[in-house]
Amino acid sequence: MLTLATEIDVLARFGRALADPIRCRLLLALRQAPAHPSDLADQLGISRTRLSNHLACLRDCGLVVAVPVGRRIRYELADPRLGHALDDLRTAIVAVETDRTCPDTDEKGCC
């Protein structure tokens, strides 16, 4: 069973991974299907060096894994449940974003 500190660490790692738009795009791309780095770089329109740095971060966070395929490496989500979690998170955020019922929104700019 995870302790509270461990759960917080896990959530913080997930948040750190999602803090960068390129890493978000990578996770969403890998949610669709596993891919090779060269294909991901082309798909996202970024250099392979930049992609490599972001993939290293996602590996360190435990969200993606590198799978050897012959002489190449393919990346995929570390667990299929991450794809479902990303879908749930996107749906929840869109719902919250469109629900501006907070009475302090205009005055405080908090929501």
Side-chain angles (χ1 to χ4, degrees), residues 36-79:
H36 294 97
S38 59
D39 298 329
L40 289 167
D42 291 343
Q43 182 179 347
L44 299 178
I46 61 174
S47 71
R48 291 184 187 180
T49 301
R50 195 167 180 199
L51 176 80
S52 178
N53 291 334
H54 287 290
L55 286 172
C57 176
L58 293 173
R59 275 194 323 268
D60 291 344
C61 289
L63 299 178
V64 302
V65 292
V67 178
V69 180
R71 294 172 53 192
R72 297 180 71 195
I73 298 291
R74 182 186 72 215
Y75 281 86
E76 60 189 49
L77 294 178
D79 188 304

Side-chain angles (χ1 to χ4, degrees), residues 1-13:
M1 177 172 214
L2 292 176
T3 65
L4 181 59
T6 304
E7 289 177 357
I8 291 170
D9 292 341
V10 168
L11 287 173
R13 276 198 328 264

